[in-house]
Amino acid sequence: MIEVQAVVEVTGGDVVALSGRMSREEFDRALVAIAGYGSDDDVEFGPAQLRALLDEEVIIMAGGLQVRDTETGVRVGPGCCAGLESWRDWARLLDGEVPWLGHSPSPGVEFAAGVVRVRPDEERSDDLACEIADLAGHLERVRQDLTGFLDLVRRWTPHGLGEVLAARFDEDFVITAPL
């Protein structure tokens, strides 16, 4: 079975899937990672860090879309420089176009008989691929998961900043607009 999820990189190189089904611990880890992304400060997470995040021209985060085949174990992680802010670019695959999916490694994409094949590394064409048959349906589920994440942001973001942070995430990651 193919899973497509919006993920954010957290400490230790792990990823956490963003959705309305996150545990409080997963949510907290994700929020700390998002607020601390690109910051050289060793500032403890708190209202100042959240306000600094809101002051950013555009919020970006380490992460993006991850594709995983639960049967074969093949996982295509988000590439560097193709973060969650560009998750909607995956819809270009529906028109036969290949969007920028990042580098280090660069995912490989090919089209065949009603599926999109995505490989972890375009340099290794002999690797197994994830075959996505219903990309539009998967992207809609990602949008629904991100909408659920916004609900958690509203409820669980500390210091009374939930509503404003959810609005910024929706604006910068274009979450609730129809695909």
Side-chain angles (χ1 to χ4, degrees):
M1 181 173 96
I2 297 294
E3 293 179 340
V4 181
Q5 299 175 307
V7 297
V8 62
E9 291 180 23
V10 295
T11 49
D14 294 333
V15 296
V16 171
L18 303 176
S19 78
R21 299 175 305 280
M22 299 172 74
S23 70
R24 183 62 189 252
E25 178 187 350
E26 290 170 325
F27 175 83
D28 289 345
R29 289 180 70 203
L31 190 59
V32 168
I34 295 165
Y37 181 70
S39 173
D40 294 331
D41 300 333
D42 287 332
V43 178
E44 186 173 322
F45 179 77
Q49 196 174 29
L50 285 173
R51 285 191 186 92
L53 177 65
L54 289 166
D55 288 341
E56 292 291 329
E57 186 175 326
V58 175
I59 297 173
I60 59 173
M61 67 176 74
L65 293 191
Q66 172 180 270
V67 180
R68 189 169 71 95
D69 186 326
T70 61
E71 294 174 13
T72 65
V74 175
R75 179 179 98 46
V76 180
C80 182
C81 302
L84 191 62
E85 62 278 1
S86 60
W87 75 274
R88 284 178 174 262
D89 290 353
W90 280 71
R92 293 175 48 204
L93 291 166
L94 298 169
D95 298 324
E97 297 178 38
V98 178
W100 169 248
L101 299 178
H103 61 89
S104 300
S106 299
V109 175
E110 63 184 68
F111 302 94
V115 299
V116 176
R117 287 191 188 114
V118 184
R119 285 183 170 51
D121 186 348
E122 70 181 352
E123 301 284 321
R124 300 178 56 173
S125 60
D126 56 334
D127 281 353
L128 291 176
C130 293
E131 293 193 355
I132 308 170
D134 180 18
L135 181 60
H138 284 288
L139 292 176
E140 178 57 29
R141 283 185 287 284
V142 167
R143 191 183 73 77
Q144 290 169 5
D145 283 346
L146 289 171
T147 299
F149 172 68
L150 290 181
D151 291 339
L152 295 182
V153 170
R154 286 183 191 94
R155 287 192 326 224
W156 288 347
T157 299
H159 315 295
L161 297 172
E163 286 295 331
V164 68
L165 186 58
R168 264 309 287 283
F169 283 160
D170 191 17
E171 178 183 339
D172 291 352
F173 301 126
V174 192
I175 293 171
T176 59
L179 288 173

